[in-house]
Structures are given as C-alpha cells and as structure tokens.
Amino acid sequence: MSGLYARHPQRRAIARRITALAATAALAVGGLLATAPAAQAAPPTPVNGATARAYLADLTVRAEGSSSGYSRDKFPHWSTQSGTCNTREVVLKRDGVNVVQNSSCAAVSGSWYSEYDGATWTAASDVDIDHIVPLSEAWRSGANSWTTAQRQSFANDLARPQLIAVTDNVNQAKGDKDPAEWLPSRTSYVCTYVRMWVQVKHHYKMTVDTAEKNALQSSLSGC
C-alpha cells in the first residue's frame, strides 16, 4: 500500500470503487462482443451512385466484339494468394460467416448468404465465386487484346468489387450476360451490382454496348 493511500483511506476507497467500475464495464463490453452476431462480409464497397454515373459517361460505347478465340483458360484462375489458399478460398472466407478452413485452405464449414437471391448455404459446394463482369463479357469488351498476365489479374481481382460468393445455379443462370440481359432477382441489390459493374469496367477501360449502357443508366438513376 502506498504511503499516500495509507494516509488517506478515503482516497483508497475511491480508487477501489473506480477499479471495480472499470472491471464491470470491461465485462459488459466483453459480453456484448461475445454475443454480437457476426457481420456479413462482402466484396470491397463499390463507388457511390454519382461516381458510377460519371464513370459510365466516361466509358467508350462500342458494339460488342466477337467471342472468337475466347477460352476461360486465357484468364488463369484461381491463383494462389498465400500459402495453400487460392482466390476462391480467400473469397469464401471473406464473404462467409464462421468459415473454418482445413490445412489445404478448403472451407469445411461456415455459412454464405447469396446477395443475388437471398439464399443462405452451409456447404461451400453450393456456392460459386462469380466474376461481376464475366470473363467472356470482358473478352468481348476489350480483354481480347490484353496480355495473359493482365487477364489473370482481372480474373483474380480482390482489390475491386469483381468477385462475390453466390448461389451456384444463380451464377450459372447469369452466365456471361450483361445488365441489359440479367440483373439480380433481389431488387435491393441491383443498385450495388450495377455500381460494381461500372467500377470494374471503368478501372479496366472496357467498352460498353448501347443496350448495356442504357440498362446501367436506368438502374443507376435510382442509386
């Protein structure tokens, strides 16, 4: 006991009360943290509506190119990101809740909420990693002239909102369609989806065709 508190017992009592209150507060905060629901993870937040509209206006409008020569193999994926983890496993971990991975980085448990259709899955096999701007669409919008390294970077892009974990058959139904042909059935996600699409196309300096641009303008008008 310090000489100060020995000489002033009231100060000693006050100090003990402060310590007790601090401990109680810490326990309360800890309890809140322990019981708080896990946040739904997501791809990087896309640019806002105003920026997306400006980006769209900046894109070159051109008829889609040919699919001639296209192959998914020309967009190497999924690349190793670190250790045994490839891009798919990184996105599964990022977009899921309580995801557990084995020594090979494969997701063995967890849950995934599909923003496109509102379904929740507990098996990674029910989830696809969708390229917001599909590889074939990218090829027809300028990627046919890129190097293989550029296409690989695009196909594994974690820095921009280009990859998202969604219901597998919904992703397959989307295929290589652009927003003039396909939008998420969950209408509350459409604004986010088209902002993602425009940001990715703008970053990679891809073109848009007329119908695609009109559909994007229509959707962005409400964002």
Side-chain angles (χ1 to χ4, degrees), residues 6 32 34 43 84 104 108 113 121 127 133 140 145 160 181 193 197:
L32 286 173
T84 58
S104 299
V108 294
Y113 177 78
W121 304 97
V127 178
V133 176
R140 299 190 301 269
S145 65
R160 276 151 288 277
E181 306 161 306
Y193 180 81
W197 182 284

Side-chain angles (χ1 to χ4, degrees), residues 64 66-67 70 72 75 133-141 176:
E64 275 194 354
S66 169
S67 293
Y70 167 73
R72 288 179 66 84
F75 293 80
V133 176
L135 305 183
S136 178
E137 165 71 20
W139 178 268
R140 299 190 301 269
S141 303
D176 64 355

